[in-house]
Amino acid sequence: PDVLSTRADFLRQKSLLAAFKEQKTALLQEALLNLSQASKIRPLWPYYPLAELNLLVLLDAGAVDVQQKVEQIIILAPNERGLDKHFLELGFHSWVKLTAEQQKWMIARLSIAPRSTLNYVYSVAKSLNQAPVICTSLPYKKIKKLCKTR
């Protein structure tokens, strides 16, 4: 599975290069296939589904596909703190595609995340015009420095 995962990483990086702009979708789909195969070999490893979610975001996949992958990650590793930073980042990239329950889960997870993760995810949310979601959902004590209006 490590070879498949490494190949998927290579294809993902290659798809982001300007020289391969026209092949981007095909490269990302091939990377997704590699990760899917890696997941079948090591089904309890949550980092493969997380990488698949990243590819789905890059492919601008439909809501159903994104929701299924998010649900798979939540079920597979509900307490895996190593996933938080990038899982929450991808969650905000796909915010409108998530179910209300998944959005609540993301906010609940963000509420217990370390300060560095909160700061990072807030910067991502802000760049996506999603900062109000964080500022209106988390306790004031947690977000007062981030969400100042002055």
Side-chain angles (χ1 to χ4, degrees), residues 6-46:
T6 301
R7 182 163 165 43
D9 288 342
F10 170 77
L11 292 168
R12 179 190 176 280
Q13 293 300 329
K14 186 176 178 180
S15 76
L16 299 174
L17 297 173
F20 296 96
K21 186 177 181 178
E22 300 207 5
Q23 299 167 324
K24 180 178 181 173
T25 300
L27 290 167
L28 291 173
Q29 288 174 339
E30 186 178 346
L32 195 56
L33 179 64
N34 279 264
L35 283 169
S36 177
Q37 291 171 343
S39 288
K40 287 177 185 169
I41 296 169
R42 194 182 290 163
L44 299 178
W45 186 249

Side-chain angles (χ1 to χ4, degrees), residues 54-115:
N54 179 266
L55 294 172
L56 291 173
V57 169
L58 289 172
L59 285 165
D60 195 25
V64 172
D65 292 333
V66 170
Q67 291 167 7
Q68 288 175 344
K69 195 55 62 181
V70 167
E71 197 60 33
Q72 179 187 2
I73 295 166
I74 290 172
I75 290 169
L76 186 60
N79 298 311
E80 178 59 54
R81 300 303 292 262
L83 295 174
D84 281 357
K85 182 178 177 183
H86 296 293
F87 189 36
L88 291 167
E89 174 187 11
L90 293 169
F92 276 94
H93 275 282
S94 304
W95 193 256
V96 297
K97 295 180 181 179
L98 301 180
T99 65
E101 198 61 37
Q102 290 171 338
Q103 290 175 347
K104 286 180 192 174
W105 190 94
M106 295 282 176
I107 292 297
R109 186 53 142 219
L110 192 55
S111 73
I112 60 170
R115 187 80 181 157

